Amino acid sequence: AMASIADLPEDVLVELLSLLPARELLRACSLVCTQWRDVVELATLWKRKCQREGFHAQNLDRSISDWKIFYMLCSLKRNLVKNPCAEESFRHWKLDNNEGDRWRIEELPGPLGREMPDPKVHKYFVTSFGLCLKSQLITLKNEGYWNELMDEKRPEIVIKDWYAARFDCGCRYEITVRLLSEDYIVLEEFHPEPVIIEQWSDAMWREISHTFHNYPAGVRYIWFQHGGQDTQFWAGWYGIRVTNSSITVGPWTL
């Protein structure tokens, strides 16, 4: 007769342990005995957890070298930008430049504007005739991304932002994203040329995106800044509109 759970076949033990939260597997189960420690390190256990939680895709098998890390990255993946769609006024944003008639929040579609492709977005930030820039600083360790993970695995960092103009006024949009070290040294930067939108545009919302690959070791912070102004210097809020910004850190999308 089977004397204890330790006598279970390995495949059964993998199935049982895969039901537990990752935190319990790593902090408690791996300390029970050498057998459990070895099972917790098995790729089959973490692959099973990926399957259970919908992270697994069959066509990704060949590109996944570490199923435990793949699981961790999938489970952590979310938008790290706080208050991206102005639902909490300017909370979490630092207003670096607030000139002209200053930043303002409006509801979609706004005057002479269009709806966003994403129906869940209802508000946007809008700039004025003076330069308006706002930023957030993301501390990766606070979001669950430990130093060794960022240095050794260097998961993809994907930046996205949405911007649009009013139909009746020209404007300028700009974005800067920096990967920073512990001492706030810039390790890598995304800073494209500003986008100039002429008067009488289609007022469509457009997405800009960038993926950081193979960046240097030592990334501890992500600094995100965007904004702009109108190009005709009209009093009021005729400048670039921005919303639905995102930063995600996740597994490689080969």
Side-chain angles (χ1 to χ4, degrees), residues 133-149:
L133 296 171
K134 62 184 179 71
S135 64
Q136 282 193 36
L137 181 68
I138 309 299
T139 303
L140 289 166
K141 184 178 287 187
N142 292 348
E143 304 297 337
Y145 298 94
W146 60 100
N147 294 348
E148 294 78 12
L149 174 70

Side-chain angles (χ1 to χ4, degrees), residues 172-203:
R172 167 191 174 109
Y173 165 80
E174 57 185 274
I175 182 172
T176 304
V177 184
R178 293 172 179 161
L179 307 186
L180 305 176
S181 71
E182 189 72 41
D183 299 322
Y184 302 98
I185 296 169
V186 179
L187 300 178
E188 199 155 314
E189 180 180 78
F190 173 61
H191 181 58
E193 287 294 316
V195 177
I196 306 298
I197 301 175
E198 301 295 336
Q199 187 181 25
W200 315 123
S201 72
D202 59 13

Side-chain angles (χ1 to χ4, degrees), residues 72-79 145 156 158 248-251 253:
M72 295 296 184
L73 288 172
C74 287
S75 60
L76 284 170
K77 189 173 183 180
R78 65 201 186 281
N79 187 3
Y145 298 94
E156 285 185 349
V158 180
T248 54
V249 179
T253 53

Side-chain angles (χ1 to χ4, degrees), residues 22-33 36 40:
R23 183 182 297 267
E24 296 303 317
L25 287 172
L26 296 172
R27 293 190 176 183
C29 296
S30 62
L31 302 178
V32 171
C33 62
W36 281 38
V40 167

